[in-house]
Amino acid sequence: MIYILLSICCSVTVAVLLKLGKRYQISIIQAVTINYLAALTLCFLFFKPEVKALNAGAPWPIYIALAVLLPSIFLFLAASIKNLGIVKTDIAQRLSLFIPILAAYFIFNENFNSLKIIGLLIGFPAIFLTFLRKSNQLKNEKGNWIYPVMVFIGFGVIDVLFKQIALYKTLPYTTSLFTVFCLAFLVSLVIVAFMVITGKTKIQLVNLACGLILGIFNFGNILFYMKAHKALAENPSTVFAAMNLGVIIVGSLIGIIAFKEKLTRLNYAGIILALAAVIFITLSQNVVR
């Protein structure tokens, strides 16, 4: 369980760092760029990817799609945390698991059992209640709802694409992960270079330092999550449940206690339903179809 706890800590720390980015006026795109440089370097050191095994037959369209999506969604993640807080953003990110579940049914013809259906039915009102705001908040934060929606959709699509990579058995998954990080770094670098040339941003050491720390914790989340699955290979649903529930609970506590994020009673009801949805979906994985 130590790996699960470490993965949860790393995941929530990434959200906290993005939250603090607003306070210290960090350039998120610069931090995200260095984040991927740090992640691909650590990926190379820890996983020893078989780079020479890459060829024209590799799933390059998926790699490229992920390379564009990852930094883009990272920016929406930062904007969502900045405008709506850690609690709601973490829930949007965790409930994005509904998208690969629906993709499994509609695209890959996977059968659904009653527990998974219940989890989905609980999950959608959970999303609605979590992001429900008072009328005065709606006036002050008009348009901000787009950020968690993009986080929800983006992370869901990214999950589907990574699952497609996992099905490609010719290359080790870690090699594909390294390739995606490399391409994501290049895409982010192009964006930063364009912004510097056009005078929209300036390279600052604080952004690079923040990006390095962000990359370490971002990679730590992936590393410990994979180690948890390896250590508990016979109980993958345990890892799945503990990770998602843990991030929602810890993220909510930090958001409410440390950053004084204000939630209504309906928002709290949404959090409870979100936890219930994850539990039902996890239980559904243990049911023999």
Side-chain angles (χ1 to χ4, degrees):
M1 290 297 288
I2 184 64
Y3 291 131
I4 296 175
L5 292 174
L6 289 171
S7 184
I8 291 170
C9 288
C10 287
S11 179
V12 175
T13 300
V14 168
V16 171
L17 289 172
L18 292 174
K19 180 78 172 181
L20 293 173
K22 175 185 177 182
R23 182 179 300 175
Y24 297 102
Q25 298 182 327
I26 301 297
S27 169
I28 298 300
I29 184 59
Q30 289 184 38
V32 166
T33 302
I34 299 302
N35 151 75
Y36 285 119
L37 177 61
L40 72 88
T41 302
L42 291 170
C43 185
F44 182 81
L45 294 174
F46 279 89
F47 295 145
K48 302 292 189 294
E50 298 176 16
V51 181
K52 293 182 179 179
L54 287 168
N55 53 48
W60 290 103
I62 298 179
Y63 290 164
I64 294 170
L66 283 168
V68 175
L69 275 173
L70 282 173
S72 302
I73 296 304
F74 221 129
L75 296 179
F76 279 109
L77 180 71
S80 181
I81 291 172
K82 174 184 176 182
N83 291 283
L84 295 178
I86 294 174
V87 179
K88 296 180 178 182
T89 303
D90 270 345
I91 291 175
Q93 183 180 350
R94 292 300 146 185
L95 290 185
S96 67
L97 61 91
F98 292 158
I99 292 178
I101 289 173
L102 292 173
Y105 180 77
F106 289 106
I107 300 175
F108 306 112
N109 300 316
E110 179 182 318
N111 294 324
F112 272 23
N113 53 53
S114 57
L115 290 175
K116 188 168 288 187
I117 293 172
I118 292 172
L120 289 172
L121 291 176
I122 293 175
F124 287 113
I127 297 170
F128 174 76
L129 291 174
T130 301
F131 298 113
L132 192 64
R133 286 168 287 170
K134 297 178 180 178
S135 57
N136 62 329
Q137 288 178 306
L138 288 172
K139 292 178 182 178
N140 296 332
E141 301 175 6
K142 187 177 180 180
N144 287 344
W145 59 269
I146 192 66
Y147 301 126
V149 169
M150 291 304 297
V151 168
F152 175 78
I153 295 173
F155 275 98
V157 173
I158 286 169
D159 197 359
V160 172
L161 293 176
F162 269 120
K163 281 182 169 58
Q164 288 296 293
I165 288 177
L167 296 174
Y168 188 79
K169 302 299 183 183
T170 306
L171 285 172
Y173 183 77
T174 50
T175 300
S176 292
L177 187 64
F178 175 76
T179 306
V180 169
F181 281 156
C182 286
L183 294 174
F185 168 67
L186 292 175
V187 170
S188 301
L189 191 61
V190 169
I191 296 173
V192 170
F194 174 78
M195 292 179 71
V196 170
I197 292 172
T198 56
K200 293 182 179 180
T201 188
K202 293 181 180 180
I203 302 297
Q204 293 179 305
L205 186 60
V206 65
N207 298 324
L208 305 184
C210 183
L212 180 62
I213 298 171
L214 193 67
I216 291 172
F217 283 103
N218 195 18
F219 177 77
N221 176 29
I222 297 169
L223 175 65
F224 294 127
Y225 187 65
M226 292 178 69
K227 282 184 175 293
H229 271 294
K230 186 175 181 180
L232 299 170
E234 296 180 359
N235 297 288
S237 59
T238 301
V239 179
F240 174 86
M243 182 64 190
N244 285 286
L245 292 173
V247 169
I248 291 175
I249 293 170
V250 176
S252 296
L253 289 174
I254 290 178
I256 294 167
I257 297 172
F259 294 101
K260 311 299 181 184
E261 294 178 6
K262 296 181 180 179
L263 302 176
T264 66
R265 291 181 179 179
L266 290 177
N267 294 153
Y268 283 111
I271 294 173
I272 294 171
L273 286 178
L275 295 172
V278 172
I279 291 172
F280 273 106
I281 291 172
T282 304
L283 291 174
S284 73
Q285 296 180 5
N286 294 325
V287 176
V288 178
R289 296 179 176 84

